[in-house]
Each structure stands twice: as structure tokens, then as C-alpha cells.
Amino acid sequence: MAFSATFWGVRGTIPCPSPTHVLFGGNTSCVEVAVGDHTVILDCGTGFRGLGKHLMKRTTRRATILLSHFHLDHIAGFPFFHPAYSQDFSFRIMAARFQGCPNIRSILASQMEPPLFPVPMRTMKADMTFENFSPADTLTLDGGIRVRTAALNHPDGACGYRIDHEGRSLAYVTDTEHVPGAPDRNILDLIAGADLVIYDATYTEQEFACKAGWGHSTWVEGVKLCREAGARRLALFHHEPDHDDAFMAGLEAEAQSAWAPVFAAREGTTVTLE
């Protein structure tokens, strides 16, 4: 059964529509995971809009949406997701419940209320269900797809995911801040032996030293974690907005010189898990 990941948004914090951000992309977090006939969507950043237009052209009418957390760059695409306005679609929307966090529906609806947005969520005609779970729960999706979850170190909380099916696995680990010299056991357990790890590599080592408490990590830490966990391939993700194409190309080359099976995620590309 086919198992692939398509990057619809790879940027962090804020979208970057700029001629200097074309090769790697400027939309914020959204990854489509195709497992046979089943679709799993990781986050609803601004890349979610492009995915929605693509889904309108396909026969797929069902999907599960897994949200890492509710910071704006991970949900800003939701009001612009065309399938949500069609009664032909159904979506199971899931997220971890963190202390003090309202339910999923109310959070997504709040960004669509005046004075923030003129079209309220109640105009969406798709069949949408909203489900919370506890970090570290294991989820079962359509088609018997198994998803493990883990809490990440991020302001207001965030959740990482591992999708397993028929001996192949993909881990999605964004947004998270590492503690230098102390590998995160939650992450190591989640990515152990994974075929592909998508990891928050927002900062360089020099930038990270000045960003304590901001909730993000580096490619150096991603490589360390993947090596220790025996993961096979690493996709650097959640690119810093000020890192333009030239900077990202240099960063990718530096990372590959340290560990060959690493690449910087590019918007619009698909990776197939063999």
C-alpha cells in the first residue's frame, strides 16, 4: 500500500510570500500523508488552502486532520479550506488537550468571528467531528492506521505524531524546543526506527542560543535524535521566515555534510516511504 508525505507548507511563524522564498516555500505548516486510499493531514497552516484546492479535484472526500497545537501559524489556513464549505466532505479533526485549552471547535471558530473574519464557521457545510485526546495516547484511524502521540516542549503545549502502517512509519515533530545535552525521551521513543522524521529545525545553533523559551529546535539536534533513535531519514521543517532560499540551501548542505539522509523540506514536493 502506498505511503507518502506531501509538503503543502513548510515555513514557521508567519507566511513569506517573497521571490526569495520560492524554492523552499513560504506557506506555514501543512503536510498531507497518503496511506493507500486514506488521507491524514498534519496541521492547518496557510499551506492548508492549497491542499484544499487540490482535494476539490480528487475523488477523496474523507480525511483525518491531526493538529500539533493551536498557534496561529498552524491553524491560519482553516478558514480558507474549500472542502470545509462543501457538504460532500467529512473530516475528523483531532488534537491533544492541554491544561487551560478550550475545545477544538471553539478555538477554530474563534478566528472566524468578527472582527477577525467575516465568514463564521457555521457556514461550513462539511461533516466535521472534533475529538480531543491525551498526549501519549495511541489513536486508530480509518483503515487501521495506527498513530502514536507524544507531548512536546513548546509554549502552551504541542503534540508530536507517529503514523505506522504495514511496517512503515512517519514521525511529525513540530514545534519543540530541546534542552542542550539532554535528548528528549518522548521524541526518541516516538521516532525510534522511523522511515521519515519531520522535525522542527527553525534555528541555527547560533540563533538557538538567543531564543531560549521560544519553543523551537535546530537541525543539529534533529540529526542527533535521528542517529540515536535509528531513524532512516530526516526532513528539516518549520523554516525560520528570515531564512531565504540561499540561506536554506546552505543550511541543507551543511546538514547533509554531517549526516547524508537529511534534507530541507520543500513546499510542493512528495516523499514516498519505501
Side-chain angles (χ1 to χ4, degrees):
M1 182 179 289
F3 194 159
S4 65
T6 300
F7 295 98
W8 292 92
V10 300
R11 193 67 54 173
T13 309
I14 192 169
C16 306
S18 164
T20 63
H21 292 65
V22 173
L23 295 179
F24 290 86
N27 279 301
T28 62
S29 303
C30 181
V31 180
E32 174 194 7
V33 180
V35 184
D37 296 330
H38 304 285
T39 300
V40 181
I41 300 168
L42 299 165
D43 277 332
C44 304
T46 60
F48 195 48
R49 175 180 176 272
L51 171 55
K53 294 175 68 176
H54 183 67
L55 290 179
M56 294 294 290
K57 302 174 184 178
R58 287 167 39 183
T59 57
T60 301
R61 290 295 180 266
R62 292 176 56 85
T64 300
I65 299 170
L66 302 176
L67 296 171
S68 63
H69 62 307
F70 296 103
H71 285 170
L72 189 60
D73 54 326
H74 292 258
I75 64 170
F78 186 78
F80 306 95
F81 186 60
H82 291 188
Y85 296 89
S86 170
Q87 62 184 4
D88 296 332
F89 286 83
S90 61
F91 299 100
R92 183 183 184 189
I93 304 173
M94 309 180 74
R97 183 184 294 279
F98 294 99
Q99 186 174 3
C101 184
N103 63 63
I104 303 169
R105 178 189 284 274
S106 65
I107 294 172
L108 295 178
S110 66
Q111 67 170 336
M112 299 179 66
E113 294 295 332
L116 302 179
F117 199 73
V119 182
M121 188 173 172
R122 61 180 176 272
T123 62
M124 291 180 164
K125 299 178 181 179
D127 177 20
M128 294 186 289
T129 60
F130 302 86
E131 302 175 38
N132 283 112
F133 57 84
S134 297
D137 282 355
T138 296
L139 317 175
T140 301
L141 309 185
D142 291 345
I145 300 169
R146 183 170 176 265
V147 179
R148 290 168 50 199
T149 71
L152 303 176
N153 181 28
H154 192 66
D156 305 314
C159 183
Y161 295 97
R162 178 191 176 112
I163 302 172
D164 285 290
H165 194 71
E166 295 187 349
R168 286 168 292 177
S169 54
L170 175 150
Y172 181 73
V173 184
T174 192
D175 297 11
T176 192
E177 180 174 337
H178 68 277
V179 177
D184 190 320
R185 177 51 56 184
N186 282 351
I187 295 175
L188 286 173
D189 291 345
L190 195 71
I191 70 174
D195 295 292
L196 176 65
V197 176
I198 302 170
Y199 184 78
D200 180 341
T202 303
Y203 300 131
T204 64
E205 291 292 290
Q206 293 75 21
E207 290 167 336
F208 179 79
C210 305
K211 303 289 187 179
W214 288 43
H216 299 289
S217 192
T218 68
W219 70 259
V220 172
E221 185 67 17
V223 167
K224 288 179 182 177
L225 290 167
C226 285
R227 281 176 160 169
E228 183 168 345
R232 295 178 175 84
R233 200 172 183 194
L234 170 62
L236 307 179
F237 189 73
H238 205 271
H239 308 324
E240 216 284 338
D242 288 336
H243 293 176
D244 60 16
D245 288 333
F247 189 97
M248 286 303 306
L251 184 149
E252 181 181 57
E254 185 180 4
Q256 289 174 339
S257 69
W259 195 53
V262 59
F263 64 96
R266 290 165 169 80
E267 186 177 319
T269 61
T270 298
V271 176
T272 300
L273 279 66
E274 300 294 349

